[in-house]
Amino acid sequence: MQGSKWVIRLPAVAAVVVFAAVMLPEVSAVRYIVGANMGWTSNVNYTVWAQGKHFYNGDWLFFVYDRNQMNVLEVNKTDYETCISDHPLHNWTTGAGRDVVPLNVTKTYYFISGKGFCFGGMKVAIHVHNPPPPPSASPIRSGSSGLISTIRGQVFLPALFAVAAVWDSILLLL
Ligand SMILES: *[C@@H]1O[C@H](CO)[C@@H](O)[C@H](O)[C@H]1NC(C)=O
Ligand SMILES: *[C@@H]1O[C@H](CO)[C@@H](O)[C@H](O)[C@H]1NC(C)=O
Ligand SMILES: *[C@@H]1O[C@H](CO)[C@@H](O)[C@H](O)[C@H]1NC(C)=O
Ligand SMILES: *[C@@H]1O[C@H](CO)[C@@H](O)[C@H](O)[C@H]1NC(C)=O
């Protein structure tokens, strides 16, 4: 019986370690709703919305909009400036009016809505930077990510051992 406990426990610990390896890089990523509570629509100045935000490689954009009217097209700088939507670099429109764009390249992304809306100002340029240095050395990015950094730095590892300990005691009861 003592032997079987260790046989069972090993996969559990492995699962926790895999979980940690998968979760850690995700924790500091931020998902931005483009235009915040206004969403992706006309009559919003997205240059103003993006101002003061620091987008990092690994973050996400979430476009929420009226699927019957707008769309989400990634274009190059020239087409961004001139609102040409004929040959986008990437068409992110899925049809649901809820499109997620991973910012996984360190570059400037240019998004516009086709169907004439770009001319009214429905366009945004997103400057993506390399990931920030570790939380202790970097300024707090926002209220929520500051909290996450704390969890990651101080609570997560103890939590890992706590989970292993709980597993241990559960298996002892079996
Ligand atoms: C954008 O694409 C158009 C059409 O392919 C091209 O004429 C233009 O030079 C490109 N601009 C940039 C900055 O790459
Ligand atoms: C973008 O993709 C959507 C969904 O596949 C499609 O309905 C739409 O016509 C495409 N738009 C452009 C400009 O390519
Ligand atoms: C970025 O994400 C897109 C969409 O998921 C994918 O097609 C592309 O290969 C990724 N690029 C890199 C450099 O990971
Ligand atoms: C958005 O605001 C910026 C800064 O105030 C301004 O320069 C820009 O012209 C505005 N864009 C639109 C489309 O109104």
Side-chain angles (χ1 to χ4, degrees):
M1 265 315 174
Q2 273 303 105
S4 72
K5 176 195 146 197
W6 288 102
V7 171
I8 297 166
R9 189 168 181 262
L10 218 76
V13 170
V16 169
V17 169
V18 168
F19 174 77
V22 170
M23 291 306 288
L24 274 178
E26 297 287 331
V27 175
S28 57
V30 177
R31 191 190 70 163
Y32 293 92
I33 297 173
V34 178
N37 56 356
M38 300 290 292
W40 182 234
T41 185
S42 47
N43 298 319
V44 176
N45 186 323
Y46 291 97
T47 305
V48 170
W49 172 77
Q51 239 159 35
K53 291 185 175 60
H54 295 280
F55 300 95
Y56 293 106
N57 194 326
D59 287 346
W60 305 76
L61 295 182
F62 189 34
F63 290 86
V64 180
Y65 58 98
D66 181 348
R67 62 177 180 174
N68 296 315
Q69 293 197 67
M70 289 89 174
N71 59 17
V72 179
L73 305 173
E74 183 185 340
V75 297
N76 71 14
K77 190 167 191 275
T78 314
D79 290 350
Y80 172 81
E81 283 161 357
T82 52
C83 285
I84 291 171
S85 55
D86 298 340
H87 38 70
L89 299 176
H90 201 304
N91 174 6
W92 291 100
T93 318
T94 56
R98 302 277 184 278
D99 298 327
V100 172
V101 177
L103 301 173
N104 58 2
V105 180
T106 303
K107 66 169 185 180
T108 300
Y109 286 77
Y110 298 95
F111 299 98
I112 65 173
S113 172
K115 309 189 186 187
F117 287 100
C118 176
F119 296 102
M122 233 179 122
K123 46 157 66 179
V124 65
I126 303 285
H127 308 285
V128 175
H129 305 275
N130 279 318
S136 56
S138 74
I140 291 169
R141 292 172 62 187
S142 74
S144 60
S145 62
L147 177 68
I148 290 167
S149 301
T150 307
I151 292 170
R152 178 176 165 181
Q154 290 160 23
V155 184
F156 193 77
L157 270 180
L160 208 92
F161 291 115
V163 168
V166 168
W167 261 105
D168 215 349
S169 48
I170 289 171
L171 293 169
L172 272 176
L173 292 174
L174 294 178

